[in-house]
Amino acid sequence: MSSQILHDKIPHGLAKRRYVLALAVVAAAGAVSAGLYMTALSSRPDAMHMTEGSTPAAASGRPVTEIKPISCTPLPDIPGKAVTVAIVDFPPDAYTPRHHHPGNVTAFVLKGTLKSQLAGEPPMTYTQGQSWFEPKGAIHLFAENASKTEPASLLAMFVADENCGPLTVLLPDDHDGHSR
C-alpha cells in the first residue's frame, strides 16, 4: 500500500484524536487481557508489592485506594525493567497521600472523576477516558476521588525495575515535593 493511500485512510482533526484514543483504549484492553492471562499462569502472584509504609489516609478517616495487580512482565529488550499493570479502585471520597513511584507510570481513568496533583503543577481533574503520565521519581502530592458518593478507578501501567515492586512509596506530609 502506498503511503498516500495509507495517509488518506487516517482521519484528521477531531476524528484523528478519537481514532488515536480508540487505539489507546484497545491497546490498554489488550494489555489488561494479556495481564490477566499471565497472572493466571503465574506461580507467584503474591510477589507483586504495590505500596510501602502505613496508610495515612485511613488514619485521616478517609477511605483508601485499593490496588489490584494484574501482571508484571519483564521487558526482553530493556534488561532489568518490567511493565506492571494494575487497577486502582477509589471508593467514594478515597484519598491517596503524597507518594512517588520508582518507575514511570501512565494512569488511564476507567470510570469516575479523579483529582490529582504532581509537585510543581496545578491540581488537575480527570474523567473517564483521560490519562496522565508521571515520570520516575516525580512527587505525586495527592490523588483522590472527586465524588463522595460514586466510586472511580484507573488503569496504571508502570515501567520499573524487574522485581515488580514496591511501585508506590508513601512520603511524609512534610516532604518538600522534591525527589530525594
Side-chain angles (χ1 to χ4, degrees), residues 27-102:
V32 169
S33 296
L36 288 171
Y37 177 72
M38 292 306 292
T39 299
L41 295 178
S42 174
S43 62
R44 52 183 202 103
D46 59 325
M48 287 189 263
H49 304 287
M50 300 300 290
T51 61
E52 277 187 354
S54 62
T55 55
S60 74
R62 291 182 74 177
V64 295
T65 56
E66 181 182 351
I67 302 169
K68 299 176 186 170
I70 294 173
S71 69
C72 179
T73 308
L75 295 172
D77 57 339
I78 306 176
K81 298 294 178 185
V83 172
T84 301
V85 179
I87 300 292
V88 183
D89 289 322
F90 288 77
D93 198 34
Y95 177 79
T96 300
R98 186 179 306 253
H99 64 277
H100 74 90
H101 306 285

Side-chain angles (χ1 to χ4, degrees), residues 51-153:
T51 61
E52 277 187 354
S54 62
T55 55
S60 74
R62 291 182 74 177
V64 295
T65 56
E66 181 182 351
I67 302 169
K68 299 176 186 170
I70 294 173
S71 69
C72 179
T73 308
L75 295 172
D77 57 339
I78 306 176
K81 298 294 178 185
V83 172
T84 301
V85 179
I87 300 292
V88 183
D89 289 322
F90 288 77
D93 198 34
Y95 177 79
T96 300
R98 186 179 306 253
H99 64 277
H100 74 90
H101 306 285
N104 298 298
V105 63
T106 298
F108 179 84
V109 181
L110 297 171
K111 71 178 177 182
T113 301
L114 297 170
K115 291 181 182 177
S116 175
Q117 184 177 12
L118 297 179
E121 296 183 14
M124 301 293 291
T125 300
Y126 300 94
T127 59
Q128 182 176 344
Q130 293 183 314
S131 68
W132 71 87
F133 174 78
E134 296 178 41
K136 177 181 179 177
I139 304 303
H140 196 162
L141 299 176
F142 74 91
E144 67 183 357
N145 186 342
S147 174
K148 294 191 183 304
T149 59
E150 299 295 321
S153 65

